[in-house]
């Protein structure tokens, strides 16, 4: 039973730390660019879009399709960076825990 008590304490500690990491990720901002800096996007560490900047030189009604593609590329790149940072933080938290192969935490 002593091992069960230790496991419960460890689980509670991990749950607290996971909540702290989620708060940290929400507070972090990650930026990325596409089109040689013509479009930039900023997302939270959880991938929520926080900002978008467009260089006035690219706003041309004949180029709206290109603009839309650049926006999508910038947002997707920033979101990918945020997801990678989240994976790294969670890996550090669960390092050394005897989790089954392929076990994923709820994020």
């Amino acid at each position: 039973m002593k091992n069960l008590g230790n496991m419960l304490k460890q689980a509670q500690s991990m749950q607290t730390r996971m909540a702290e990491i989620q708060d940290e990720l929400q507070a972090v901002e990650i930026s990325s660019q596409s089109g040689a800096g013509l479009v930039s996007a900023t997302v939270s560490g959880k991938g929520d879009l926080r900002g978008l900047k467009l260089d006035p030189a690219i706003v041309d009604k004949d180029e709206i399709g290109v603009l839309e593609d650049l926006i999508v590329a910038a947002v997707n790149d920033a979101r990918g960076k945020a997801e990678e940072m989240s994976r790294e933080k969670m890996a550090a938290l669960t390092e050394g825990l005897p989790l089954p192969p392929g076990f994923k935490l709820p994020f």
Side-chain angles (χ1 to χ4, degrees):
M1 279 300 197
K2 187 175 184 179
N3 284 342
L4 180 59
N6 287 339
M7 284 178 51
L8 288 175
K9 283 182 184 179
Q10 189 175 15
Q12 287 174 333
S13 175
M14 188 170 81
Q15 184 177 19
T16 299
R17 182 64 186 132
M18 288 170 69
E20 291 169 357
I21 288 174
Q22 289 297 311
D23 290 342
E24 288 173 20
L25 289 172
Q26 190 61 36
V28 167
E29 290 191 345
I30 301 157
S31 296
S32 188
Q33 298 179 349
S34 67
L38 295 174
V39 175
S40 63
T42 301
V43 297
S44 73
K46 293 184 83 174
D48 300 323
L49 183 62
R50 292 240 177 110
L52 180 68
K53 292 191 182 218
L54 307 174
D55 187 308
I58 63 169
V59 182
D60 179 349
K61 64 180 179 175
D62 296 328
E63 298 294 326
I64 196 74
V66 173
L67 178 59
E68 291 168 347
D69 290 343
L70 290 171
I71 291 169
V72 169
V75 171
N76 285 338
D77 188 53
R79 177 167 255 171
K81 289 177 181 179
E83 289 172 358
E84 178 61 27
M85 184 177 62
S86 178
R87 278 192 295 274
E88 289 172 3
K89 285 186 174 281
M90 292 311 299
L93 175 65
T94 60
E95 188 174 347
L97 291 178
L99 299 175
F103 183 81
K104 294 183 179 182
L105 295 172
F107 291 104

